[in-house]
Amino acid sequence: LGRIRPRILENGLATLREVEGLSEELVLDHIFAPGFSTTSEVSEISGRGVGLDVVQSVLREVGGSVHVSSVPGAGATFHLRVPVSRSVIRAVVVRIAGEPYAFPLLRIDRLLRVPVSEVHLAEDRQFVVVEGRNVALVPADQVLELSGGAVPPGDVPVVLVSERAHRLGFAVEAFLGEVDLVVRPLDARLGRVADISSAALLGDGSPVLVLDVEDLVRSVLRRSREAGLGLGKVTQQGGERRRKRILVVDDSAAVRELESELLARQGYLVVQATDGVDAWSKVRENACDLVITDVDMPRMDGIALTRSVKQDPRLRSTPVMIVSYRDSEEDRARGLAAAADFYFAKSEFEGDALLQAVVNLIGEAKA
């Protein structure tokens, strides 16, 4: 303390009267100030007043704090408080389309380097043989819909993951290392971001997105029904005319059944969901031609569901129709602000009107 007070004066941080009136706690707080040091000599590792400033800055970034107490002749104690809501995970950082991404280590089965000669092709699907089993090989940049990615010459770095009964290999550009990451939730204003669970900072301060393995696998399964995924181009599968698929979302079983029956009679393929969370899972797993949703539902309401669909790069072109008891101008404005394509009040509900609105959005039942 005897060396801190004079330095406060020398650095112009307070007047003599102010320094004399400072409590011991406030005096000690000055050691965390940028550039503050009590040493008279500057060496390669000390004397610049950087160390404790960095400690305090990092703790503040994660919502924590640092406090120091001192007993003359006995030493000092530093108390670092970190919120328990912050999660630290072990992750493998890879490069995809020139940018770093992180796979949680607990979700990885194995890391492989597969020679290009051992990548096989069957029915426009690429796969590798791992422990005697065929494992689908999917370019990570294609799943994330990123441009600028390139398959490295020679061995292909592959992240092998499992989700329920599905085992997949994600081809990446390079393995960048294994690190501990302090993960942080994405800004709520972004809504639900497909295939991404959280964000973190690497040791050099650059940002990295943490991948949601479960969501990634779901994306692959959905897209595999539409197109082949390979290290080369994506080949669209042809076929006979198909029935258009409509997802009906409502927490009322009676309403779901009524709407589903009307649509099914016209030849549409109808899938039901009990709330927004259930619907979000189903629309991500199997592409739909139209989503019809209520607004007031538990877990995720219809406005949040609509916003999530419209903010997903792969789903934003999917039309969303809101059918709700809320029919004020304000309610309609909320729905349209979330980018809904049509707002239908249940008070105006009539089978023919609903069917006409569906035809106007997606056409007849057969594609």
Side-chain angles (χ1 to χ4, degrees):
L1 286 174
R3 297 173 64 184
I4 297 174
R5 291 180 187 272
R7 280 304 169 95
I8 295 175
L9 285 172
E10 292 173 16
N11 292 356
L13 299 176
T15 65
L16 177 60
R17 178 176 296 179
E18 289 171 340
V19 170
E20 291 175 346
L22 290 176
S23 65
E24 180 178 309
E25 182 179 0
L26 292 177
V27 170
L28 286 170
D29 280 346
H30 281 80
I31 67 176
F32 297 100
F36 190 93
S37 177
T38 58
T39 186
S40 57
E41 298 180 358
V42 177
S43 68
E44 293 183 357
I45 60 173
S46 66
R48 295 177 175 81
V50 175
L52 290 177
D53 173 34
V54 171
V55 171
Q56 186 178 65
S57 297
V58 170
L59 284 167
R60 283 177 175 173
E61 284 181 9
V62 300
S65 63
V66 58
H67 172 72
V68 61
S69 58
S70 177
V71 178
T77 302
F78 288 81
H79 302 265
L80 279 67
R81 298 173 62 89
V82 181
V84 295
S85 59
R86 297 295 177 181
S87 174
V88 178
I89 66 167
R90 192 73 176 166
V92 172
V93 181
V94 301
R95 185 167 65 243
I96 302 173
E99 298 289 342
Y101 287 83
F103 281 87
L105 188 61
L106 290 176
R107 298 309 308 269
I108 297 175
D109 290 351
R110 291 175 61 181
L111 299 179
L112 307 172
R113 292 190 183 274
V114 180
V116 174
S117 60
E118 295 182 11
V119 177
H120 308 286
L121 184 67
E123 297 180 353
D124 294 323
R125 304 290 199 274
Q126 291 188 325
F127 68 92
V128 294
V129 180
V130 180
E131 299 172 346
R133 295 178 55 192
N134 294 345
V135 177
L137 183 62
V138 183
D141 61 329
Q142 286 189 21
V143 181
L144 297 172
E145 296 192 346
L146 302 173
S147 59
V151 178
D155 294 346
V156 180
V158 176
V159 181
L160 196 65
V161 304
S162 296
E163 173 60 29
R164 296 190 176 94
H166 304 287
R167 200 178 197 196
L168 296 174
F170 289 96
V172 300
E173 292 177 13
F175 298 135
L176 301 182
E178 185 177 328
V179 296
D180 289 318
L181 295 177
V182 179
V183 297
R184 312 173 186 189
L186 301 177
D187 193 308
R189 289 171 292 182
L190 295 176
R192 176 71 173 84
V193 180
D195 305 323
I196 304 298
S197 65
S198 54
L201 293 178
L202 296 175
D204 61 0
S206 59
V208 60
L209 294 175
V210 181
L211 296 170
D212 184 331
V213 172
E214 182 179 355
D215 217 22
L216 273 176
V217 173
R218 191 178 296 124
S219 294
V220 173
L221 295 177
R222 179 180 64 82
R223 292 190 61 188
S224 69
R225 295 181 177 92
E226 305 168 3
L229 290 170
L231 292 176
K233 64 180 181 180
V234 178
T235 53
Q236 188 70 30
Q237 301 297 304
E240 60 185 36
R241 295 178 69 199
R242 65 176 182 84
R243 295 167 64 194
K244 291 182 180 176
R245 181 186 180 94
I246 299 177
L247 178 63
V248 174
V249 192
D250 202 301
D251 59 338
S252 167
V255 173
R256 286 199 312 272
E257 290 297 333
L258 174 61
E259 294 177 359
S260 298
E261 185 179 348
L262 281 170
L263 296 166
R265 282 206 303 260
Q266 297 302 309
Y268 294 100
L269 178 61
V270 182
V271 180
Q272 297 185 14
T274 57
D275 58 33
V277 172
D278 184 26
W280 176 243
S281 175
K282 288 179 177 176
V283 76
R284 294 279 295 116
E285 187 169 343
N286 293 292
C288 296
D289 296 283
L290 173 66
V291 176
I292 300 178
T293 180
D294 187 18
V295 171
D296 297 315
M297 297 180 294
R299 298 201 294 175
M300 179 191 287
D301 66 19
I303 300 297
L305 173 62
T306 302
R307 192 177 293 116
S308 296
V309 170
K310 293 301 184 178
Q311 290 177 346
D312 188 306
R314 291 183 295 276
L315 300 175
R316 62 175 51 144
S317 61
T318 303
V320 178
M321 177 191 297
I322 292 179
V323 180
S324 174
Y325 285 115
R326 296 176 175 268
D327 59 356
S328 69
E329 288 301 319
E330 182 180 351
D331 293 321
R332 291 176 184 270
R334 283 184 64 225
L336 297 177
D341 297 271
F342 194 89
Y343 196 102
F344 198 94
K346 288 182 179 177
S347 60
E348 306 167 351
F349 189 87
E350 195 220 328
D352 290 343
L354 175 67
L355 292 173
Q356 186 58 55
V358 170
V359 171
N360 290 341
L361 288 174
I362 64 173
E364 300 294 337
K366 288 292 184 70

